[in-house]
């Protein structure tokens, strides 16, 4: 399990006063408002930044960091990732997981047939969909419902699923 969670990626600058546009990876963009400080990951290095102001524009988060006051300074942050120490969020409720912890887990059927690894997870509104990719790159989409996802075992790096009819 990674010590840090990626909350978003800085994709562009906004205006001339050092604001940046962030594509958020979180289901709740207001999390940025509740964090006085974050880390920015560039080329594998982490540097702490203080958040001065948070705003929103369409589906992006607009962030102004303290001491980043020009478009040139903000431009240097483009394509970097905003990360936080996972401990600031506390423990998750039973049966709730960070997507980052599920990506890469091995997926098996209840009869121990290997299906592949979790490559991505996306939300459809009603439930999540697990994208499982086998060694040949073929994808299988599994709905994240109790009838299909039987066991998630982060410790041992695997998920056990029930392939209901139609999957």
């Amino acid at each position: 399990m990674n010590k840090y969670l990626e909350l978003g990626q800085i994709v562009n600058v906004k205006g001339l006063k050092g604001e940046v546009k962030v594509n958020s990876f979180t289901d709740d963009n207001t999390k940025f408002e509740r964090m006085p400080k974050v880390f920015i990951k560039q080329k594998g290095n982490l540097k702490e930044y203080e958040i001065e102001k948070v705003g929103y524009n369409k589906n992006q988060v607009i962030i102004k960091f303290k001491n980043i006051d020009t478009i040139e300074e903000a431009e240097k942050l483009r394509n970097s990732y905003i990360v936080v120490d996972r401990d600031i969020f506390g423990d998750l409720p039973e049966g709730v997981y960070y997507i980052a912890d599920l990506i890469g887990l091995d997926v098996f059927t209840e009869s121990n047939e290997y299906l592949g690894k979790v490559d991505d997870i996306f939300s459809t509104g009603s439930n999540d969909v697990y994208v499982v990719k086998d060694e040949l790159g073929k994808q299988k989409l599994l709905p994240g419902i109790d009838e299909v996802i039987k066991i998630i075992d982060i410790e041992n790096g695997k998920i056990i699923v029930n392939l209901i009819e139609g999957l």
Side-chain angles (χ1 to χ4, degrees):
M1 228 184 298
N2 199 332
K3 178 175 171 44
Y4 297 97
L5 294 173
E6 289 182 354
L7 291 186
Q9 182 179 20
I10 298 171
V11 294
N12 210 342
V13 297
K14 180 182 185 300
L16 302 172
K17 297 183 180 177
E19 293 179 314
V20 294
K21 294 180 181 180
V22 177
N23 284 347
S24 175
F25 301 157
T26 177
D27 60 349
D28 178 10
N29 288 340
T30 63
K31 284 181 181 172
F32 290 96
E33 295 174 26
R34 298 188 298 269
M35 283 181 258
K37 295 179 181 179
V38 295
F39 295 99
I40 294 184
K41 182 168 72 171
Q42 288 183 302
K43 299 176 185 163
N45 297 317
L46 294 179
K47 183 175 177 186
E48 189 175 67
Y49 286 81
E50 190 174 332
I51 293 179
E52 191 173 296
K53 182 175 85 174
V54 176
Y56 306 95
N57 184 22
K58 299 180 184 168
N59 59 345
Q60 289 183 317
V61 180
I62 308 300
I63 298 179
K64 168 69 175 78
F65 293 106
K66 192 171 187 174
N67 299 323
I68 302 293
D69 299 315
T70 67
I71 189 171
E72 293 81 13
E73 292 170 327
E75 185 66 42
K76 293 176 186 174
L77 302 177
R78 187 194 298 246
N79 296 324
S80 47
Y81 292 88
I82 296 175
V83 299
V84 294
D85 189 316
R86 74 171 48 236
D87 293 338
I88 70 166
F89 294 121
D91 292 333
L92 292 174
E94 181 78 24
V96 177
Y97 305 93
Y98 292 117
I99 289 175
D101 294 339
L102 301 176
I103 301 293
L105 293 185
D106 291 314
V107 180
F108 297 89
T109 64
E110 290 178 305
S111 58
N112 209 31
E113 175 191 352
Y114 180 70
L115 298 178
K117 292 185 179 288
V118 177
D119 186 58
D120 194 10
I121 298 174
F122 60 89
S123 180
T124 63
S126 58
N127 59 268
D128 289 340
V129 175
Y130 290 58
V131 180
V132 178
K133 193 180 280 188
D134 67 14
E135 299 92 355
L136 302 175
K138 186 176 176 189
Q139 292 182 344
K140 184 177 282 297
L141 303 178
L142 303 175
I145 57 176
D146 291 342
E147 190 178 355
V148 175
I149 307 296
K150 293 301 187 180
I151 299 170
I152 295 178
D153 185 352
I154 302 273
E155 297 283 320
N156 293 306
K158 66 181 179 178
I159 296 176
I160 307 297
V161 298
N162 171 34
L163 292 182
I164 58 176
E165 194 172 327
L167 295 179

